[in-house]
């Protein structure tokens, strides 16, 4: 019986997000996705993610990893809010697509299967944080070793 998560859940979700065509890059909803706090650039929105209270797979259905995304944008009040919201919404749309076919993600540790994401919440405006406008969204990702 497995006694703990057998992979880096944050790393898996980061690799998945970075592999999505059209999500990240200049002129796209997000200019980057990271694991640690990064100030957003003057133009565009930056996302960070973290996992909390991951549950070990007891029934063969997959490990559950609650992931929270924070999308921040810098700049003028209205422009920053619009950029952060657009980035968070685009990310939420992609997360909500994880309901059908499992997705195989390549990480530095090998391959992991994202079976689905559920209990998607947000994006919700979370205010001004350190001069940046922020939106948060969360979901529970269900993953298995391949």
């Amino acid at each position: 019986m497995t006694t703990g998560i057998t992979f880096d859940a944050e790393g898996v979700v980061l690799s998945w997000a970075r592999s999505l065509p059209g999500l990240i890059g200049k002129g796209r909803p997000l200019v980057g996705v990271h694991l640690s706090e990064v100030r957003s650039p003057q133009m565009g929105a930056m996302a960070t993610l973290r996992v909390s209270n991951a549950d070990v797979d007891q029934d063969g259905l997959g490990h559950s990893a609650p992931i929270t995304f924070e999308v921040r944008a810098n700049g003028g009040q209205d422009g920053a809010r619009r950029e952060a919201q657009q980035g968070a919404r685009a990310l939420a749309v992609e997360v909500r697509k994880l309901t059908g076919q499992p997705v195989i993600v390549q990480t530095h540790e090998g391959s992991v299967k994202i079976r689905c994401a559920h209990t998607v919440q947000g994006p919700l405006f979370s205010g001004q944080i350190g001069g940046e406008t922020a939106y948060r969204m969360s979901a529970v990702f269900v993953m298995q070793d391949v």
Side-chain angles (χ1 to χ4, degrees):
M1 179 165 85
T2 303
T3 58
I5 299 294
T6 58
F7 47 83
D8 172 14
E10 288 174 316
V12 171
V13 176
L14 179 67
S15 294
W16 165 79
R18 287 180 172 173
S19 74
L20 296 169
L23 182 66
I24 301 169
K26 187 175 181 181
R28 297 197 172 136
L30 296 172
V31 292
V33 178
H34 301 276
L35 295 178
S36 59
E37 296 294 320
V38 176
R39 284 194 61 83
S40 70
Q42 285 301 105
M43 298 292 287
M46 186 75 68
T48 57
L49 66 99
R50 63 179 159 55
V51 66
S52 60
N53 302 323
D55 291 324
V56 176
D57 182 7
Q58 298 291 332
D59 303 317
L61 301 174
H63 301 285
S64 296
I67 301 285
T68 300
F69 296 91
E70 185 170 86
V71 179
R72 294 182 181 190
N74 201 342
Q77 173 92 15
D78 292 336
R81 187 168 180 155
R82 182 177 54 254
E83 287 177 343
Q85 181 191 45
Q86 288 173 345
R89 279 190 14 226
L91 188 54
V93 165
E94 294 298 332
V95 171
R96 286 185 172 101
K97 289 180 184 177
L98 294 171
T99 60
Q101 282 292 102
V103 175
I104 305 297
V105 176
Q106 300 300 322
T107 71
H108 66 280
E109 296 177 340
S111 299
V112 175
K113 181 189 305 182
I114 297 178
R115 294 199 50 206
C116 66
H118 63 83
T119 320
V120 181
Q121 297 179 350
L124 300 170
F125 178 67
S126 56
Q128 297 281 25
I129 300 171
E132 297 175 309
T133 301
Y135 276 78
R136 286 197 178 120
M137 60 131 337
S138 62
V140 177
F141 284 73
V142 180
M143 304 173 209
Q144 289 180 317
D145 291 318
V146 175

